[in-house]
C-alpha cells in the first residue's frame, strides 16, 4: 500500500488534514478573537456559558474520554507559549494537539504510568466574562472567556489565570469544539509540571 | 576514611572535611544536593571558573542586540557591540546595584539605570552619572563601568563565558565534545541554527545537578518514561526510544565520556540509513500531509529533509549547564539549592523549506509534554528522598569495574554500555576540581 492509498478519515490515527489551510484558519481566528465584539443576545450567551461549564466539569472530574468527544475530527487543543498564540508555524507551544495528539494525551493521562500525574491533579475552574460572536458565513460560533484554574497535586496548590478562545462548530442540536485555545497569563514564563488539562 | 557522620551532624559546616570526602569513586554525598552552602559555592565556582553556556548568537541578530541571562545567580546582559563583537556584562549598576536592563531582549547602544540614571555603554563603560558636580575629584568614570564577564567566546554560534583568566580556550574546553556538537550543528545546511522559536521553561523543585545527572542517564528511559513508551505503542508499532527497553547494554547504542565533565549518548545506531529517524519519530500533527509534500517536491532530498524535521538522536551534555537533546538547546538555570529552571530552547534551521521548520516545531512539543514531566517528577521525588539524613549517599556505581564494558577509543574517549553511570562519575571529577579551586 502506498501512502496515497491510505484512508485518512480517522483523525485519531492520521493527520493528513493539518496543512497550510489549517494554519491559515488559526491566523483568521486570531484576528477575530482580538477584535471588539457587540454584546450577544441572551440565548446565545446562555448556551455558550452552559457549554463551557459542561466542558469544564468533564475536565475537572477527569472524565477525559467524555471530554475528547466534545471535539471535532479536525479540532485543535492549543496552549500557546507566546502570549496570544504567536505564529505556531515558527514557534513551539505547550500543547498543539490535533485529534491524534489529543487522543495520545488522554491515553497518556490514563496509562496510570505518568509519574507527573501520580498523584493525579485535582482541578476546579471558574469561567467568566463570556462573550459570543456568531459568524453567519461559516456557521461557526466564537466564544471568548476568562478562566482561573485551581490545581491541587502532591500537596501543592496552584492557580493558573488566563483566557480561553473557543471556536464551536454546529453539531446536531449542539456544538463541537473546533478550536480550544487556552492562553495562560504567564504562558512564556517558567511553570512547574504543566501536565494538567486547561 | 573520613568521619562522614560528623559531616552530617554538624549542620553549620556540612563540608568541614573538604569536598573530596563528599565525592568518592562510586558515590556522592547527599549534602551536595541539599545544603545551601554547597549551592552558594557552586554558584561562584562551578558557574564562574569554567566555561558556562550563555546564549546563542542567533538571539543577537544585529549590531547592538542584547539578551539578558544569568551566570549562576549573577544577572548578566549578553551584548553585541556596534561592530558585532560579543560581550557579557553584569546586570548590576555600579552605583547602588540595581539591574540596569529589565528586558529579555532588544537592541540598545547603552543602558540607563532606571534608579538614578547612570548610563553605561553596551560594552560596560560608564558614559556618565547625572549632575556630576555632586561628586568629588576622586570620581573616576573608568573604574565605574559594569562588571564584565572577562572572557566571552563563541563556538559556531554557541556563546560561552567564564570569569577564569586561566581557563583553557573554549575549543580546548569543549575538546572531544566538539565533533558531536559539529554533527548536531551540521544537520542544518551551512550550520545555520536559529534560536527564536520559543522555549519551554520547566521549573522543578530539586537541585540543578539532578537535571545534569539525567542528561547522560541511559538507565532510566524504560522506567521513568513508561507512560510515553506505552502511549507511543497506542497505534501498534513501536517508536522512538522503545529500544531503551531491550537490554540496552547489549545493543549498539553507547555512552561516550568526553572529558571535562562532558558526555554523549548516541542513539543513532538504533536507526538504519536515511529516512529512518523520520520513520521512527512519534507522529506529529500534520505529519502525513507534510511527508507527501516533501517527497513530491524534493524527491532527491526528501529523506534528509524528513530526518532533520525529527530529532538529532544524540544526548550531548556539556558541563555544567548545556544539554543538547533532540533538536533543543536545553539550559540548566539553578534558582536555589532545591529549585531549578530548565529552559528548552526550540530551534529552527536555515536553508530548508518553511514546512520543515513547522514540522520541527511540532516535533519539539512532544517530549516536553509527554517525556520530561515524568523525569522532573522523579527529580522532585529524589529531592524529597534526600531529606533522609541517615542514608547519606547517592550511588553512581553502575558500570564501575564491570568486565568488558569500558574501552578507550583512539581519541582517549571512554566508551561504555549505555546504562553505565560513567557520566556522573566523570562530571563529579570536574565538579570537584572546580570546587577545590581557590583564589587565596
Ligand atoms: S543604582 Fe543605578 S543609578 Fe543608582
Ligand atoms: Fe529522560
Amino acid at each position: 500500500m502506498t501512502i496515497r492509498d491510505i484512508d485518512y478519515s480517522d483523525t485519531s490515527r492520521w493527520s493528513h488534514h493539518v496543512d497550510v489551510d489549517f494554519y491559515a484558519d488559526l491566523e483568521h481566528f486570531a484576528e477575530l478573537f482580538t477584535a471588539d465584539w457587540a454584546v450577544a443576545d441572551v440565548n446565545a450567551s446562555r448556551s455558550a456559558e452552559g457549554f463551557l461549564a459542561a466542558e469544564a466539569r468533564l475536565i475537572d472530574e477527569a472524565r477525559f474520554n467524555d471530554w475528547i468527544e466534545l471535539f471535532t475530527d479536525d479540532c485543535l487543543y492549543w496552549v500557546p507559549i507566546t502570549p496570544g498564540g504567536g505564529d505556531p508555524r515558527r514557534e513551539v507551544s505547550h500543547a498543539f494537539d490535533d485529534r491524534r495528539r489529543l487522543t495520545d494525551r488522554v491515553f497518556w493521562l490514563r496509562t496510570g504510568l505518568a509519574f507527573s500525574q501520580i498523584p493525579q491533579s485535582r482541578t476546579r475552574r471558574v469561567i467568566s466574562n463570556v462573550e459570543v460572536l456568531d459568524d453567519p458565513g461559516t456557521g461557526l460560533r466564537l466564544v471568548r472567556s476568562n478562566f482561573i484554574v485551581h490545581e491541587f497535586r502532591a500537596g501543592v496548590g496552584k492557580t493558573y489565570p488566563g483566557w480561553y478562545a473557543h471556536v464551536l462548530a454546529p453539531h446536531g442540536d449542539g456544538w463541537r469544539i473546533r478550536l480550544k485555545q487556552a492562553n495562560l497569563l504567564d504562558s512564556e514564563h517558567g511553570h512547574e509540571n504543566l501536565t494538567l488539562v486547561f | 576514611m573520613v568521619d562522614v557522620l560528623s559531616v552530617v551532624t554538624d549542620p553549620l559546616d556540612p563540608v568541614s572535611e573538604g569536598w573530596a570526602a563528599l565525592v568518592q569513586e562510586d558515590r556522592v554525598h547527599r549534602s551536595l544536593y541539599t545544603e545551601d552552602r554547597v549551592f552558594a559555592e557552586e554558584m561562584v565556582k562551578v558557574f564562574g571558573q569554567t566555561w558556562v553556556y550563555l546564549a546563542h548568537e542567533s538571539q543577537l541578530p544585529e549590531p547592538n542586540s542584547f539578551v539578558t541571562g544569568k551566570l549562576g545567580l549573577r544577572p548578566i546582559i549578553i551584548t553585541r557591540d556596534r561592530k558585532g563583537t560579543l560581550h557579557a556584562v553584569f546586570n548590576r549598576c555600579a552605583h547602588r546595584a540595581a539591574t540596569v536592563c529589565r528586558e529579555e531582549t532588544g537592541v540598545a547602544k547603552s543602558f540607563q539605570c532606571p534608579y538614578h540614571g547612570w548610563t553605561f555603554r553596551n560594552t560596560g563603560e560608564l558614559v556618565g552619572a547625572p549632575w556630576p558636580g555632586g561628586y568629588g575629584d576622586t570620581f573616576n568614570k573608568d573604574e565605574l563601568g559594569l562588571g564584565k564577564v572577562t572572557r566571552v567566546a563563541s563556538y559556531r554560534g554557541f556563546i560561552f563565558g567564564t570569569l577564569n583568566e586561566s581557563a583553557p580556550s573554549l575549543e580546548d574546553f569543549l575538546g572531544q565534545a566538539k565533533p558531536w556538537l559539529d554533527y548536531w550543528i551540521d544537520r542544518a545546511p551551512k550550520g545555520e541554527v536559529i534560536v527564536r522559536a520559543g522555549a519551554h521553561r520547566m521549573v522543578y523543585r530539586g537541585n540543578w545537578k539532578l537535571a545534569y545527572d539525567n542528561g547522560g542517564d541511559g538507565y532510566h528511559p524504560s522506567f521513568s518514561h513508561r507512560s510515553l513508551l506505552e502511549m507511543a505503542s497506542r497505534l501498534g508499532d513501536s517508536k522512538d526510544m522503545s529500544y531503551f527497553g531491550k537490554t540496552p547494554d547489549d545493543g549498539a547504542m553507547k555512552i561516550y565520556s568526553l572529558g571535562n565533565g562532558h558526555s554523549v549518548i548516541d542513539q543513532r545506531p538504533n536507526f538504519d540509513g536515511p529516512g529512518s529517524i523520520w520513520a521512527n519519530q512519534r507522529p506529529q500533527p500534520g505529519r502525513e500531509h507534510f511527508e507527501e509534500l516533501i517527497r513530491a517536491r524534493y524527491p532527491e532530498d526528501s529523506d534528509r529533509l524528513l530526518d532533520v524535521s525529527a530529532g538529532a538522536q544524540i544526548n550531548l551534555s556539556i558541563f555544567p549547564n548545556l544539554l543538547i537533546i533532540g533538536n533543543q538547546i536545553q539550559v540548566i538555570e539553578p534558582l536555589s539549592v532545591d529549585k531549578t529552571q530548565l529552559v528548552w530552547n526550540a530551534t529552527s534551521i536555515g536553508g530548508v523549506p518553511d514546512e520543515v521548520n513547522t514540522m520541527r516545531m511540532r516535533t519539539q512539543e512532544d517530549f516536553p509534554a509527554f517525556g520530561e514531566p515524568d523525569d522532573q517528577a522523579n527529580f522532585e521525588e529524589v529531592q524529597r528522598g534526600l531529606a533522609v539524613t541517615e542514608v547519606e549517599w547517592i550511588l553512581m556505581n553502575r558500570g564501575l569495574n564491570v568486565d568488558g564494558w569500558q574501552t578507550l577509543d583512539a581519541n582517549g574517549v571512554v566508551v561504555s554500555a549505555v546504562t553505565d553511570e560513567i557520566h556522573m562519575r566523570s562530571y563529579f571529577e570536574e565538579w570537584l576540581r572546580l570546587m577545590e579551586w581557590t583564589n587565596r
Side-chain angles (χ1 to χ4, degrees):
Chain A
M1 189 158 80
T2 75
I3 198 165
R4 282 171 196 284
D5 299 326
I6 296 171
D7 171 10
Y8 289 118
S9 58
D10 178 359
T11 55
S12 72
R13 197 176 177 91
W14 305 108
S15 179
H16 193 273
H17 62 289
V18 176
D19 56 10
V20 179
D21 293 340
F22 186 93
Y23 286 102
D25 281 351
L26 295 178
E27 208 164 28
H28 173 62
F29 293 143
E31 271 170 38
L32 294 173
F33 276 111
T34 46
D36 293 329
W37 301 350
V39 176
D41 81 61
V42 91
N43 285 332
S45 297
R46 190 54 217 118
S47 123
E49 283 167 10
F51 185 90
L52 295 185
E55 190 217 344
R57 197 161 47 81
L58 292 181
I59 303 171
D60 289 339
E61 293 177 358
R63 290 163 59 187
F64 299 120
N65 280 347
D66 296 331
W67 175 61
I68 204 172
E69 291 312 317
L70 296 180
F71 287 82
T72 64
D73 287 344
D74 60 351
C75 68
L76 180 69
Y77 166 69
W78 185 19
V79 186
I81 289 179
T82 305
D87 184 351
R89 287 169 288 216
R90 293 185 182 81
E91 294 165 316
V92 286
S93 305
H94 293 297
F96 192 93
D97 295 5
D98 60 353
R99 180 100 201 179
R100 175 168 60 192
R101 191 180 264 175
L102 189 59
T103 310
D104 278 344
R105 185 179 297 278
V106 167
F107 186 93
W108 179 82
L109 284 165
R110 293 170 51 86
T111 55
L113 300 170
F115 301 113
S116 50
Q117 279 297 316
I118 302 174
Q120 197 174 32
S121 295
R122 290 183 206 164
T123 60
R124 264 304 143 171
R125 67 206 63 208
V126 177
I127 298 173
S128 182
N129 302 47
V130 178
E131 296 175 280
V132 182
L133 179 71
D134 282 324
D135 181 354
T138 58
L140 296 173
R141 169 170 286 184
L142 279 64
V143 185
R144 186 163 58 194
S145 61
N146 291 350
F147 65 77
I148 302 172
V149 178
H150 297 278
E151 182 201 29
F152 175 81
R153 184 193 167 269
V156 182
K158 291 174 192 156
T159 304
Y160 297 93
W163 64 278
Y164 287 131
H166 280 80
V167 175
L168 306 180
H171 176 92
D173 293 342
W175 301 92
R176 286 283 180 268
I177 302 169
R178 164 82 185 283
L179 168 69
K180 176 179 181 177
Q181 182 179 342
N183 300 288
L184 302 178
L185 195 59
D186 54 357
S187 54
E188 82 279 39
H189 286 271
H191 293 96
E192 294 174 16
N193 195 345
L194 269 191
T195 55
L196 69 162
V197 172
F198 286 102
Chain B
M1 191 60 204
V2 185
D3 177 9
V4 178
L5 206 59
S6 71
V7 171
V8 176
T9 50
D10 182 1
L12 293 177
D13 194 8
V15 295
S16 56
E17 301 291 336
W19 299 115
L22 304 174
V23 180
Q24 298 181 8
E25 189 190 23
D26 63 341
R27 59 189 60 200
V28 291
H29 196 260
R30 59 178 283 282
S31 58
L32 305 193
Y33 292 75
T34 59
E35 294 297 323
D36 284 328
R37 183 184 148 192
V38 176
F39 181 77
E41 285 206 38
E42 285 180 331
M43 291 308 101
V44 173
K45 294 176 175 175
V46 178
F47 286 79
Q49 292 305 309
T50 188
W51 291 99
V52 174
Y53 177 74
L54 303 181
H56 191 270
E57 285 199 47
S58 61
Q59 296 170 284
L60 301 152
E62 51 179 294
N64 298 315
S65 294
F66 71 86
V67 54
T68 49
K70 288 207 295 188
L71 176 64
L73 296 182
R74 311 164 186 94
I76 61 171
I77 319 168
I78 302 118
T79 66
R80 257 190 216 284
D81 64 23
R82 63 195 166 86
K83 291 183 186 144
T85 308
L86 296 164
H87 303 264
V89 295
F90 293 135
N91 193 1
R92 190 267 185 220
C93 184
H95 177 222
R96 269 161 46 195
T99 58
V100 298
C101 175
R102 296 157 192 199
E103 324 257 288
E104 272 181 40
T105 180
V107 177
K109 290 185 189 130
S110 62
F111 301 100
Q112 182 176 48
C113 179
Y115 200 3
H116 313 94
W118 287 30
T119 300
F120 304 88
R121 260 190 266 286
N122 60 8
T123 47
E125 296 80 13
L126 175 62
V127 178
W131 311 314
Y135 288 104
D137 315 337
T138 54
F139 188 81
N140 182 355
K141 275 204 315 194
D142 296 340
E143 290 169 356
L144 293 170
L146 299 173
K148 292 204 76 160
V149 179
T150 42
R151 293 176 69 191
V152 173
S154 166
Y155 181 73
R156 303 191 63 190
F158 286 71
I159 307 168
F160 294 77
T162 180
L163 304 172
N164 184 351
E165 290 300 336
S166 57
S169 71
L170 174 59
E171 294 216 12
D172 285 349
F173 161 80
L174 292 172
Q176 292 300 334
K178 223 166 46 169
W180 296 93
L181 192 53
D182 285 338
Y183 154 73
W184 189 88
I185 294 169
D186 288 331
R187 289 196 352 127
K190 299 198 184 125
E192 194 188 341
V193 173
I194 304 154
V195 186
R196 285 199 295 272
H200 294 88
R201 293 187 159 83
M202 307 177 76
V203 178
Y204 65 87
R205 299 180 185 209
N207 188 264
W208 68 274
K209 294 189 289 304
L210 294 168
Y212 199 80
D213 294 346
N214 184 259
D217 181 341
Y219 198 11
H220 80 288
S222 12
F223 308 97
S224 194
H225 297 306
R226 278 181 72 187
S227 66
L228 175 62
L229 296 171
E230 189 87 4
M231 179 192 95
S233 59
R234 176 175 76 86
L235 297 171
D237 38 357
S238 77
K239 292 285 176 188
D240 185 22
M241 269 186 35
S242 52
Y243 39 77
F244 275 104
K246 302 173 199 152
T247 52
D249 293 326
D250 305 332
M253 186 169 45
K254 297 289 176 207
I255 181 158
Y256 299 76
S257 180
L258 304 170
N260 296 342
H262 317 325
S263 78
V264 67
I265 290 178
D266 189 5
Q267 302 180 40
R268 290 172 300 168
N270 298 301
F271 300 88
D272 38 65
S276 168
I277 289 180
W278 170 256
N280 286 289
Q281 172 67 46
R282 280 178 299 280
Q284 317 92 326
R287 176 184 174 91
E288 285 78 2
H289 171 74
F290 168 74
E291 177 165 356
E292 216 170 84
L293 181 145
I294 294 292
R295 294 224 184 267
R297 275 197 210 154
Y298 313 96
E300 306 293 295
D301 207 16
S302 57
D303 281 335
R304 183 186 66 89
L305 290 171
L306 293 170
D307 277 346
V308 300
S309 308
Q313 308 304 337
I314 64 168
N315 290 19
L316 176 61
S317 305
I318 296 180
F319 190 72
N321 71 331
L322 177 60
L323 305 172
I324 309 259
I325 297 187
N327 290 334
Q328 274 119 322
I329 299 175
Q330 237 185 82
V331 185
I332 302 174
E333 294 185 3
L335 302 175
S336 65
V337 70
D338 56 4
K339 199 163 187 184
T340 306
Q341 175 165 270
L342 212 50
V343 181
W344 291 58
N345 293 288
T347 65
S348 44
I349 56 178
V352 293
D354 288 346
E355 292 85 356
V356 167
N357 279 319
T358 297
M359 192 49 56
R360 280 174 72 99
M361 295 306 112
R362 300 295 80 84
T363 302
Q364 291 175 94
E365 289 157 352
D366 175 269
F367 205 76
F370 305 116
E372 185 66 16
D374 286 345
D375 277 345
Q376 296 200 356
N378 278 324
F379 303 168
E380 293 189 343
E381 296 304 319
V382 170
Q383 196 73 32
R384 287 198 330 135
L386 286 168
V388 178
T389 44
E390 288 73 15
V391 186
E392 297 166 54
W393 298 100
I394 293 173
L395 298 181
M396 49 182 191
N397 55 348
R398 188 176 171 83
L400 189 66
N401 307 321
V402 176
D403 266 355
W405 269 29
Q406 289 154 23
T407 54
L408 202 62
D409 78 4
N411 301 315
V413 169
V414 183
V415 188
S416 189
V418 73
T419 69
D420 193 328
E421 285 167 339
I422 190 171
H423 163 74
M424 283 179 75
R425 294 194 298 276
S426 68
Y427 95 73
F428 268 111
E429 230 177 272
E430 176 68 2
W431 182 94
L432 189 59
R433 187 184 72 77
L434 291 165
M435 291 297 274
E436 285 179 336
W437 172 84
T438 166
N439 61 353
R440 272 162 265 146

